[in-house]
Amino acid sequence: MNKKVILVGHFGVGKTSLVQQFVHSKFSEAYLTTIGVKIDKKEVDVDGLKVNLLIWDIAGETAQSKVPKSYQLGAHGVLYVFDLSRPSTYNNLHEQLDYIKELLPGVPIEVLANKKDLLTEEETKQILSGLSLEIRTTSAKTGEYVEEAFLRLTKAMMA
Amino acid sequence: MNKGLGFDKLREILLEKDWEERDQLAQKLEDLDDQINSRNRLEEKIQPILADERVNLKNKFPELFGPQITESISKQIRESQDEVVEVLYPIIGRMIKKYITNEMEKLSERIDHQMELAFSWEGWKIRIKAWISGTPQKDMIISKLIEPKIEEIYVIERNSGMLLGSFSKSAALDRDMVAGMLTAIKAFVEDAFTGETQELSNIDYDNFKITIKNFKSFFVAVVTSGGMNAQFRDKLDDTLLDFAQKVLKRAKHGAESDAQNEIAEGLAKYFENFDKDE
């Protein structure tokens, strides 16, 4: 079974690093800067069921509306990534998520606060409480919660 | 006498240690002199140091001298273009000659094959076709030499870029990812250069061509090699339309895995012998 997952968020939040950490593949690295998307594939096992995740790592934009719709359409799941150390990447989070929900109604979205390793626990807590959303923290650098984030999204897609 | 003896004794007591040290120093100097002036012994000492330096220089050579060498070569090429051409011309010339000879041999083999066919049933078919279509027989023979062939076919869901089915005569890259990238390239071109009503329908690269047929919820990308001609294009269009009508419509109503199997079987049935059909 194949499922399309898109990774979206501002430029430089660590989307590509998250995929690299999860997939360890460099199939279409060059295309990311050329046409704005990089596609990777990884098979995961969800409760005994093999699922092929086709991960579309979409080049970062300050507003989701600037990303070609065609890259996002048909996605079965979304990973929205922001950078905990750069407020400009999460200041308009609700607006961005509303845009995605409208474009992809009913599609599960996992919001990831990346670069956890750059902040203290206290600072992270403070930022997340201000956003009042269910957000998971990740670190592409240490690999913390990366695999779990993809698996959690896959389970939500299969539900 | 006793005084002199006493003085000697005193001197011996006072300087005994210094004399010992003097003797040791003299011995060391003698050893050093021996080491420096004896090639074998000097080599023994210096060889490991030189060996280490050699390894170090070898490892760091590109880093240490790379930019200077590159710059020097570039400068040399810029300043002595005529000499460079003179040196490279025979090599490149030979390579080109070899390539052309090789290609001519291949062409010659194919012409021989066609000539052999001339008096066969195949040859008569070409003659009759040429006569009916009004095309010169030699044109038909030449077009046969660079006959287009289907290499791969991808049936891809339009929105998601997910692969619905594929057909290939050889092992290709991961087809799911190829389908995704084709969708992304198509979307990129359509977004960047055309309006919403126009769609990418061809990608050309060297001897290969990707023909894209757009349908409502999916598109089909056909990778062909050889020279595409109107007859082949017509046949491909008709077959794809027939395939879309019969197989894809039926497959759309089934479960995902059933649909994929049905599309794969349909592709094989429609295109396995596509190049051989007349």
Side-chain angles (χ1 to χ4, degrees):
Chain A
M1 183 181 287
N2 290 345
K3 293 284 173 194
K4 175 180 176 179
V5 173
I6 57 169
L7 258 95
V8 287
H10 285 226
F11 174 77
V13 295
K15 297 184 293 292
T16 306
S17 305
L18 284 171
V19 180
Q20 269 173 0
Q21 180 71 249
F22 181 59
V23 179
H24 317 292
S25 156
K26 287 183 178 174
F27 173 70
S28 58
E29 201 85 359
Y31 297 107
L32 187 61
T33 45
T34 315
I35 60 167
V37 68
K38 178 172 91 77
I39 300 170
D40 283 295
K41 184 180 172 182
K42 174 142 179 176
E43 188 184 77
V44 291
D45 192 312
V46 179
D47 303 327
L49 189 68
K50 304 268 183 226
V51 182
N52 273 321
L53 295 182
L54 285 147
I55 305 159
W56 288 49
D57 174 10
I58 299 170
E61 286 286 356
T62 48
Q64 212 44 47
S65 55
K66 290 181 182 171
V67 174
K69 277 185 190 168
S70 41
Y71 290 178
Q72 302 172 74
L73 289 172
H76 299 103
V78 180
L79 282 175
Y80 189 95
V81 189
F82 69 84
D83 178 352
L84 273 167
S85 68
R86 276 163 57 213
S88 63
T89 66
Y90 56 81
N91 280 343
N92 59 354
L93 180 62
H94 289 274
E95 196 187 317
Q96 299 309 309
L97 292 175
D98 285 346
Y99 177 85
I100 296 169
K101 281 174 191 165
E102 200 180 318
L103 187 71
L104 303 165
V107 170
I109 303 171
E110 179 93 0
V111 184
L112 302 178
N114 194 31
K115 304 196 185 177
K116 187 191 176 184
D117 50 289
L118 296 179
L119 277 80
T120 63
E121 285 278 326
E122 196 51 44
E123 287 169 325
T124 305
K125 263 186 195 167
Q126 208 178 337
I127 294 167
L128 295 185
S129 65
L131 292 170
S132 57
L133 264 172
E134 195 187 344
I135 297 169
R136 310 277 156 171
T137 53
T138 53
S139 168
K141 191 177 174 187
T142 63
E144 188 182 336
Y145 199 71
V146 178
E147 185 115 16
E148 291 87 338
F150 280 94
L151 285 174
R152 214 176 104 92
L153 181 69
T154 312
K155 278 183 182 168
M157 289 191 294
M158 305 298 291
Chain B
M1 193 89 162
N2 279 346
K3 257 185 185 177
L5 197 66
F7 183 71
D8 283 346
K9 197 78 183 162
L10 183 64
R11 194 172 62 169
E12 201 180 307
I13 292 164
L14 283 173
L15 298 176
E16 189 186 5
K17 211 174 170 192
D18 287 345
W19 286 343
E20 269 174 27
E21 281 177 0
R22 186 198 62 192
D23 291 345
Q24 280 171 0
L25 268 172
Q27 185 59 48
K28 276 185 184 173
L29 272 171
E30 202 175 312
D31 284 350
L32 270 173
D33 186 52
D34 186 33
Q35 274 180 17
I36 290 165
N37 292 319
S38 154
R39 188 187 166 94
N40 287 348
R41 294 197 60 193
L42 187 65
E43 266 179 6
E44 243 172 59
K45 291 280 175 195
I46 289 175
Q47 204 57 38
I49 300 166
L50 288 176
D52 283 352
E53 277 307 307
R54 258 202 313 272
V55 172
N56 195 25
L57 186 66
K58 195 178 161 191
N59 291 340
K60 289 191 173 169
F61 194 85
E63 190 187 317
L64 291 173
F65 302 105
Q68 285 86 345
I69 291 173
T70 310
E71 197 184 323
S72 163
I73 292 172
S74 304
K75 195 178 165 206
Q76 193 68 28
I77 291 171
R78 267 198 311 276
E79 286 175 1
S80 355
Q81 283 184 4
D82 288 344
E83 283 90 334
V84 173
V85 169
E86 217 165 278
V87 172
L88 290 179
Y89 186 78
I91 302 164
I92 294 172
R94 266 198 295 273
M95 277 166 63
I96 294 170
K97 195 179 160 194
K98 197 174 168 189
Y99 176 76
I100 291 174
T101 310
N102 193 29
E103 286 302 302
M104 288 302 284
E105 273 171 12
K106 280 193 214 163
L107 186 65
S108 166
E109 271 173 29
R110 278 182 283 172
I111 289 172
D112 284 349
H113 179 65
Q114 289 300 323
M115 293 300 283
E116 278 167 21
L117 285 176
F119 299 103
S120 65
W121 168 236
E122 191 71 18
W124 281 107
K125 270 204 306 194
I126 291 172
R127 280 179 200 182
I128 294 165
K129 264 188 176 178
W131 181 69
I132 293 169
S133 64
T135 315
Q137 199 181 328
K138 65 174 171 41
D139 288 357
M140 292 208 81
I141 290 175
I142 288 170
S143 74
K144 268 256 173 212
L145 295 175
I146 47 166
E147 233 172 26
K149 280 192 181 74
I150 291 179
E151 302 290 339
E152 285 170 62
I153 302 180
Y154 295 87
V155 181
I156 302 164
E157 197 177 47
R158 185 186 268 272
N159 278 343
S160 64
M162 305 288 281
L163 185 67
L164 297 173
S166 65
F167 165 79
S168 175
K169 286 177 183 167
S170 57
L173 281 165
D174 187 304
R175 289 183 189 133
D176 287 315
M177 290 208 276
V178 171
M181 285 317 298
L182 275 172
T183 311
I185 292 164
K186 185 173 174 306
F188 168 74
V189 173
E190 286 163 8
D191 279 353
F193 304 110
T194 66
E196 277 191 10
T197 52
Q198 290 173 310
E199 292 180 303
L200 181 70
S201 55
N202 274 307
I203 301 172
D204 283 7
Y205 59 104
D206 282 349
N207 195 29
F208 291 87
K209 187 186 275 288
I210 303 176
T211 306
I212 297 169
K213 291 286 160 203
N214 295 290
F215 296 91
K216 193 169 174 259
S217 56
F218 57 89
F219 67 92
V220 184
V222 185
V223 184
T224 52
S225 62
M228 178 76 92
N229 54 44
Q231 194 190 355
F232 184 86
R233 205 189 309 274
D234 280 351
K235 187 181 164 191
L236 183 62
D237 279 351
D238 290 346
T239 313
L240 281 174
L241 279 172
D242 196 33
F243 168 74
Q245 266 179 350
K246 288 180 184 158
V247 180
L248 288 172
K249 269 193 182 169
R250 205 170 55 224
K252 258 173 72 180
H253 302 293
E256 192 185 345
S257 56
D258 292 343
Q260 282 178 351
N261 287 338
E262 199 162 338
I263 290 169
E265 281 168 18
L267 282 169
K269 184 183 150 201
Y270 274 78
F271 296 99
E272 185 78 65
N273 295 312
F274 183 88
D275 306 325
K276 293 169 196 159
D277 290 349
E278 280 305 314

